[in-house]
Amino acid sequence: MKWIAILLFLLALPAYGQNQNGQNNGQGNKTGQGQGNNADHRGKGPEFVPGKPVTLLPGQDPKSLVGQTASNSRNLALPVRIALSDLDIVRSILLERIGYGGREIGFWASSHGDFTKEAGSTRVKTAGLIVALDHRFLAHLVLGLAGGYSHTWSNTLAANAGWGGMYAILFSGGWYLNQTAIAGGDSFETTRAGLLGTARANSSGWFASEITQAGYNLKRGDLTFGPYGLLQYAIAGNPTFSETGSSAPVTVHSGTSSSTVTDLGVDGAYEFGRLTIKTSVAWEHEYSDTTSFTTVSLVSIPSSAVTVAGTSLGHDSVLINSGISYQLNRAINLSLGYTGQYGRRNYESNSATGSIRITF
């Protein structure tokens, strides 16, 4: 029995040692697994905690955090983009409503509703009002003052804009030359889905535009038609502003964007007694870079600044203006109009207007 007990003891030693090694290996693996998880956690970035600012881990690139925490920050370029779109709308209304015939003094007002869609972003709607007063001097010159207000809104933006400017029209026979200059500012609020909360910001911006149009009107009975050309330069910008309301708000750095376009087209009008039908078709070409760039950084980490590219728009499009006006009496004219921009890559715009003109 003694020898049997010794034999069983010797046979049990390897199993015991294997079991101990297995326990040690299990603990070692457990510890190693924990270290591996910690390493993976460090690789993925810091732990995001609601209400606490994002902090860098040792050796982490600050710029890499912007992509993790503000992937939709390209929407923050919308205020400048919308300001340039509003200038296009104002240009279309001004050039359709100003006139060089008729009596000495004229007052006119126009309300408009506009719907713009840019690929990769939300639909933007604008409602506004334009008023103007002009006076004819001598026989071939009209000078006018104009101003307007508009409200713009979408899922990520709400803005109010006001502007003022002047225009001059020089004409002789069928030739005419229009010169218009306007400038203004806007206040806006941006909203976007941020990290562990909704990121919001309030700020303001500015914009300005200069427009030159020249053309010739040929009259044949009740029909008037002719070619025209247009050059517009527009610029808009915003100061630096910061978001609040999320665990990783961003600072949007100041920036500007400009637009230089030309239109080549033909317009025409036909009179049916007191009723006049107008239409114009033009090819528009944009010469400036159509990609919007925005520089953003995390509020808590200024060194994380990166430049984010927005949607790139096309350079060519077709503009169609059409409308109908009615001469209510000797002094009052009422009109309705539509403007559409077609064929431009990643961009679509439609506008409707209603106007009244009173001459003295």
Side-chain angles (χ1 to χ4, degrees):
M1 295 295 294
K2 179 180 179 180
W3 291 105
I4 294 174
I6 293 173
L7 181 61
L8 292 174
F9 176 76
L10 293 175
L11 292 173
L13 280 176
Y16 177 78
Q18 183 178 2
N19 183 53
Q20 290 289 63
N21 290 336
Q23 291 179 359
N24 291 335
N25 289 340
Q27 292 175 355
N29 290 340
K30 182 178 180 180
T31 302
Q33 184 179 2
Q35 292 175 351
N37 288 340
N38 288 338
D40 290 344
H41 181 72
R42 287 195 299 268
K44 293 179 181 178
E47 181 180 0
F48 300 126
V49 180
K52 294 184 178 180
V54 176
T55 56
L56 284 173
L57 292 176
Q60 187 173 23
D61 182 4
K63 296 183 179 181
S64 66
L65 292 180
V66 177
Q68 299 178 45
T69 61
S71 59
N72 59 352
S73 59
R74 68 177 56 193
N75 289 336
L76 295 171
L78 272 178
V80 172
R81 177 79 83 187
I82 295 305
L84 292 177
S85 295
D86 287 348
L87 287 174
D88 290 342
I89 295 167
V90 169
R91 174 198 72 194
S92 177
I93 295 173
L94 282 175
L95 297 183
E96 286 296 314
R97 299 295 170 260
I98 59 180
Y100 52 83
R103 306 170 73 178
E104 297 296 328
I105 301 176
F107 165 83
W108 61 268
S110 180
S111 60
H112 59 94
D114 314 290
F115 308 89
T116 303
K117 181 182 179 182
E118 184 178 310
S121 67
T122 56
R123 294 178 180 269
V124 177
K125 297 173 281 292
T126 301
L129 176 68
I130 297 175
V131 295
L133 180 68
D134 51 41
H135 185 274
R136 188 174 67 175
F137 294 88
L138 304 175
H140 304 290
L141 177 64
V142 172
L143 297 178
L145 298 175
Y149 163 81
S150 65
H151 176 69
T152 301
W153 69 99
S154 71
N155 292 336
T156 60
L157 173 74
N160 295 287
W163 59 271
M166 63 183 301
Y167 56 87
I169 312 168
L170 184 64
F171 56 95
S172 178
W175 296 97
Y176 63 91
L177 174 67
N178 297 338
Q179 189 72 36
T180 305
I182 60 176
D186 58 15
S187 62
F188 57 85
E189 177 182 352
T190 63
T191 304
R192 67 182 183 90
L195 179 67
L196 302 177
T198 301
R200 301 179 184 276
N202 291 280
S203 189
S204 60
W206 56 269
F207 52 85
S209 179
E210 190 279 332
I211 309 161
T212 299
Q213 182 193 34
Y216 181 79
N217 284 329
L218 181 65
K219 190 171 180 62
R220 290 291 183 268
D222 294 327
L223 176 65
T224 303
F225 63 96
Y228 72 91
L230 175 146
L231 171 66
Q232 178 187 28
Y233 176 77
I235 186 170
N238 62 262
T240 298
F241 63 93
S242 297
E243 294 179 322
T244 59
S246 75
S247 293
V250 301
T251 294
V252 181
H253 296 262
S254 62
T256 61
S257 183
S258 63
S259 170
T260 302
V261 300
T262 56
D263 288 3
L264 293 176
V266 60
D267 58 16
Y270 193 86
E271 298 178 6
F272 297 91
R274 294 188 176 187
L275 190 68
T276 302
I277 298 176
K278 297 181 179 181
T279 187
S280 67
V281 179
W283 164 60
E284 181 170 289
H285 180 73
E286 171 67 71
Y287 293 87
S288 302
D289 188 355
T290 61
T291 304
S292 58
F293 295 93
T294 307
T295 301
V296 299
S297 61
L298 295 177
V299 172
S300 58
I301 310 175
S303 61
S304 63
V306 298
T307 299
V308 181
T311 304
S312 180
L313 308 183
H315 288 268
D316 295 284
S317 60
V318 175
L319 295 181
I320 296 179
N321 287 281
S322 60
I324 185 171
S325 64
Y326 183 75
Q327 193 69 39
L328 187 63
N329 53 42
R330 189 167 179 263
I332 300 175
N333 181 276
L334 306 175
S335 61
L336 297 173
Y338 165 80
T339 300
Q341 186 172 14
Y342 301 95
R344 188 175 188 183
R345 188 180 72 252
N346 294 328
Y347 187 84
E348 178 182 319
S349 177
N350 295 275
S351 305
T353 60
S355 306
I356 180 172
R357 182 176 181 88
I358 303 173
T359 56
F360 304 95

